[in-house]
Amino acid sequence: MEARTLSGRARIATIIAVWVTVALDFAIAGIAYALLPDKIPNLWTINGAVNELVDKNITVFILPIAAFVSQCALAVLPHIDPNKGNYARFEKSYMTLRAFISGMILTLVIMHMIRLKFYEYGISYSIFKLVIALYIVLIGNLLPKIKRNYFIGLTNPWSVASEKVWFLTHRFGGRYFIGIGAMLAILSFFEPIAVNIVYWCLIVTLFAVPTVYSFEKYYVRIKKKNNDREV
């Protein structure tokens, strides 16, 4: 059986690795800032073409700041969640998720700085979309292992209200994330605008569809309980 908790050494190693990654985000952005031209892209069209240039500014650090804020939040959430006792039941998956998030943002920082520096060469937008797709698949593998809580996973009023609905939602959600992630990985290699619209619409469904699923499962269970009582 897979261990759900980490040893003290593994936990500390993961936390150190996560924060080293965050520090690398800022270091890479800082080095890139010094090397970037005076004008950098600010807006892109849906198919990745540069739509607007602006003076170089601190928006270069948006992704590193997002990494810092997200890791601070992920460090605090287990201590303030009303279901905080459940975090020990999926600690290994939770720390893996933290590592996935930090790794994804580091990858995006590197690619984003390359695109800002060499935007004149029309570097393909596909690699960004492929990385996002692969991380969606990885998260899909983790979802079924996440136990009921108020912040992490496919949280909504119906999944949080019922242990069974939480289990069903995350089992379904894990499979859905993996399937959609695989589709997105394929779509990431195609540049037409219509394909890009489909790509981003599929990402929206990653949360919309499991939410509808939770709603349906919750009220099916409520209806079944009421019917059982009538009998």
Side-chain angles (χ1 to χ4, degrees):
M1 182 180 294
E2 180 185 0
R4 296 174 179 176
T5 59
L6 292 174
S7 66
R9 183 175 298 178
R11 185 184 304 109
I12 292 172
T14 304
I15 292 171
I16 291 174
V18 162
W19 286 109
V20 167
T21 303
V22 173
L24 282 173
D25 292 333
F26 280 97
I28 292 169
I31 294 170
Y33 186 86
L35 299 175
L36 288 174
D38 293 333
K39 294 286 186 179
I40 60 173
N42 184 52
L43 292 174
W44 285 266
T45 63
I46 196 168
N47 62 338
V50 175
N51 199 32
E52 180 183 48
L53 294 176
V54 297
D55 292 334
K56 182 169 62 175
N57 55 64
I58 60 171
T59 57
V60 169
F61 294 93
I62 285 180
L63 282 173
I65 291 171
F68 176 80
V69 172
S70 65
Q71 291 301 328
C72 286
L74 289 168
V76 171
L77 292 180
H79 302 287
I80 64 173
D81 194 316
N83 283 336
K84 58 186 177 181
N86 276 348
Y87 281 80
R89 297 171 58 200
F90 68 100
E91 182 185 26
K92 185 175 181 180
S93 298
Y94 186 70
M95 296 304 291
T96 302
L97 179 64
R98 288 187 63 177
F100 279 174
I101 291 173
S102 65
M104 179 181 69
I105 295 179
L106 176 61
T107 305
L108 293 175
V109 165
I110 293 171
M111 293 190 300
H112 185 53
M113 298 308 147
I114 291 173
R115 290 194 81 218
L116 289 179
K117 174 64 177 176
F118 302 106
Y119 70 89
E120 306 100 323
Y121 299 98
I123 296 175
S124 175
Y125 193 57
S126 296
I127 189 65
F128 281 88
K129 296 185 293 182
L130 178 60
V131 168
I132 292 171
L134 294 178
Y135 274 100
I136 287 171
V137 172
L138 292 174
I139 291 172
N141 278 282
L142 287 177
L143 282 177
K145 302 172 185 176
I146 297 176
K147 306 305 178 184
R148 186 159 57 131
N149 68 90
Y150 282 83
F151 297 113
I152 304 300
L154 301 171
T155 59
N156 58 63
W158 308 286
S159 65
V160 171
S162 166
E163 188 74 51
K164 182 65 174 178
V165 174
W166 178 276
F167 168 77
L168 292 173
T169 298
H170 283 73
R171 184 178 64 177
F172 166 79
R175 295 169 179 170
Y176 190 75
F177 267 58
I178 292 171
I180 294 298
M183 291 175 60
L184 294 175
I186 295 171
L187 291 175
S188 66
F189 293 101
F190 297 92
E191 296 293 343
I193 293 178
V195 174
N196 282 292
I197 292 174
V198 171
Y199 180 97
W200 294 109
C201 286
L202 285 174
I203 286 183
V204 172
T205 72
L206 289 172
F207 299 97
V209 171
T211 297
V212 173
Y213 181 88
S214 290
F215 176 85
E216 188 272 335
K217 288 299 179 184
Y218 181 82
Y219 282 102
V220 164
R221 287 179 59 78
I222 293 296
K223 185 176 180 180
K224 184 178 183 300
K225 285 181 180 180
N226 289 339
N227 289 341
D228 290 343
R229 288 172 184 169
E230 291 174 2
V231 173

